Amino acid sequence: MTITIREIDLAGADAMSTLLPLFRAATAVAAPRAPEPSESYLRLQIGPRAARHIACLVAYDGDRPAGFARMNHGKVANRDMVYGELWIPAGDRDEVTGALVEACRDYARGRDATRLVLDTSELSGYDAVCGAGGGRALSSDYRRQLDLTAIDHQQYAAWAAPTEKNSHYRVDIWRTPTPEHLLGPLVVAYDVMRDAPTGELVIETPPPDVDRRRQTEADDAAAGMQMYVAAAFAADGESGSGSEIAGFHEVFVYPDYRMAEVGNTGVPAKFRGHGLGLRLKAAMALHLLEYEPHVDMVSTSNDADNAPMVRVNDAMGYEVAEAWQAWQFEV
């Protein structure tokens, strides 16, 4: 096998036909409990983004595509880091992995980055090559799945209802685009993601920016993905200018994919301890069942050190699907 690696034009006519079969075959190994990825799901992964540049490096055995790497490079934060994943079908993994990792390092070097981070599933078999290539595993995430068809509706309704601890918060759910008067409060609340645990991996959270959030939501819609946001508003929170968001929970829905994906969930420090995370997540699950009947599964990823969120997900019935590690390479 002679491997050559080229960057593919993601706007080209052959991008989807080249990448989707590889993505599906690799996902079947890396995340076997997940549904087969749809075209719209992959389109979002490779579509234009407001906050990062995306590229795909494809490994070819002659003219046959044998695997690819999706590369991301932040436009605002983490300028020293290129990060992404490897998607290589099982039959080509031994021959392709090493060459593709080296191509990723060359790509990162070409963008003046000093480190490359690759997320790999525990089931994919990349660990030996990553370790031999000088990679260090710096953080671990667990991907969990929730079967919406099996939840206890009565229990979820109780979790979503106001309790003695959080009855002074009002919860709203909307489908993006976020109303203009809520963009400011949402990006301010989003700053809580700076506190999210990432193991030993150093991640810089971009500063709040309303224009970037607006463009991100527009990019998502253009790629065929719909985002839902559940937000808890503080005691003075009418849905008007100046409303303070005490917690938020995001979910991505794809028109032809039966699994929704959790984006970010955050509760600023001064609002913690009131059960808002569970209330928001339960309310969102019930909302999806009502308004997105084609969705019967939800996927979420949590850092192994994020004990509060893990407890919430365990209580809700999320089950561990597989573990992922972030491997960092100096370039």
Side-chain angles (χ1 to χ4, degrees):
M1 181 181 289
T2 301
I3 301 298
T4 58
I5 297 173
R6 303 192 296 272
E7 182 176 345
I8 194 171
D9 178 7
L10 295 180
D14 62 342
M16 191 59 60
S17 61
T18 299
L19 299 177
L20 186 58
L22 298 172
F23 190 45
R24 285 174 167 168
T27 298
V29 176
R33 296 185 60 186
E36 182 178 75
S38 68
E39 183 173 327
S40 70
Y41 180 77
L42 178 58
R43 187 180 297 113
L44 178 72
Q45 311 306 310
I46 65 175
R49 309 298 292 175
R52 63 182 185 271
H53 175 80
I54 297 178
C56 286
L57 309 180
V58 180
Y60 293 88
D61 173 22
D63 294 328
R64 180 182 67 87
F68 75 97
R70 184 179 71 111
M71 299 281 93
N72 302 269
H73 191 202
K75 298 177 181 177
V76 179
N78 301 298
R79 294 292 301 158
D80 67 321
M81 177 180 72
V82 168
Y83 61 98
E85 319 90 25
L86 304 175
W87 300 103
I88 308 170
D92 291 314
R93 202 153 292 164
D94 291 344
E95 299 287 341
V96 172
T97 304
L100 198 50
V101 168
E102 286 307 308
C104 292
R105 295 176 79 165
D106 288 342
Y107 175 84
R109 193 176 299 116
R111 293 193 65 85
D112 295 325
T114 59
R115 55 188 176 128
L116 166 72
V117 175
L118 295 175
D119 286 333
T120 67
S121 164
E122 63 176 334
L123 306 176
S124 294
Y126 299 136
D127 289 5
V129 173
C130 288
R136 295 184 299 133
L138 297 186
S139 70
S140 295
D141 285 358
Y142 289 94
R143 192 182 70 83
R144 289 171 163 82
Q145 289 183 187
L146 176 68
D147 182 355
L148 287 176
T149 68
I151 69 171
D152 182 335
H153 287 238
Q154 186 174 358
Q155 178 62 78
Y156 267 62
W159 284 331
T163 67
E164 184 177 352
K165 290 195 301 182
N166 61 40
S167 61
H168 53 295
Y169 299 100
R170 179 180 50 78
V171 169
D172 282 347
I173 297 177
W174 65 85
R175 194 169 72 171
T176 55
T178 295
E180 282 292 320
H181 66 280
L182 294 180
L183 278 171
L186 183 60
V187 299
V188 169
Y190 213 84
D191 201 48
V192 70
M193 299 312 299
R194 295 179 187 274
D195 297 338
T198 57
E200 297 180 61
L201 183 63
V202 177
I203 299 289
E204 178 188 0
T205 300
D209 186 279
V210 168
D211 290 338
R212 188 170 62 249
R213 174 71 189 205
R214 185 187 295 114
Q215 185 60 52
T216 295
E217 292 184 358
D219 291 343
D220 291 342
M225 187 275 294
Q226 184 61 66
M227 178 192 289
Y228 286 91
V229 182
F233 291 87
D236 63 349
E238 297 297 329
S239 290
S241 179
S243 297
E244 186 171 17
I245 291 179
F248 63 90
H249 172 57
E250 302 169 332
V251 171
F252 303 117
V253 174
Y254 310 86
D256 59 353
Y257 192 45
R258 49 185 277 252
M259 185 170 73
E261 286 196 325
V262 172
N264 286 307
T265 303
V267 178
K270 66 180 179 178
F271 299 116
R272 292 173 187 166
H274 297 168
L276 289 177
L278 179 59
R279 183 178 169 189
L280 290 168
K281 289 173 73 77
M284 180 66 80
L286 295 174
H287 191 86
L288 292 177
L289 284 170
E290 181 175 359
Y291 292 99
E292 298 290 349
H294 74 285
V295 172
D296 60 14
M297 187 181 303
V298 181
S299 175
T300 188
S301 294
N302 303 114
D303 188 276
D305 294 330
N306 194 346
M309 192 54 63
V310 169
R311 283 196 297 270
V312 168
N313 289 333
D314 285 347
M316 294 180 67
Y318 278 87
E319 297 180 350
V320 174
E322 70 274 338
W324 290 72
Q325 286 189 311
W327 291 87
Q328 180 168 293
F329 304 81
E330 305 305 318
V331 299

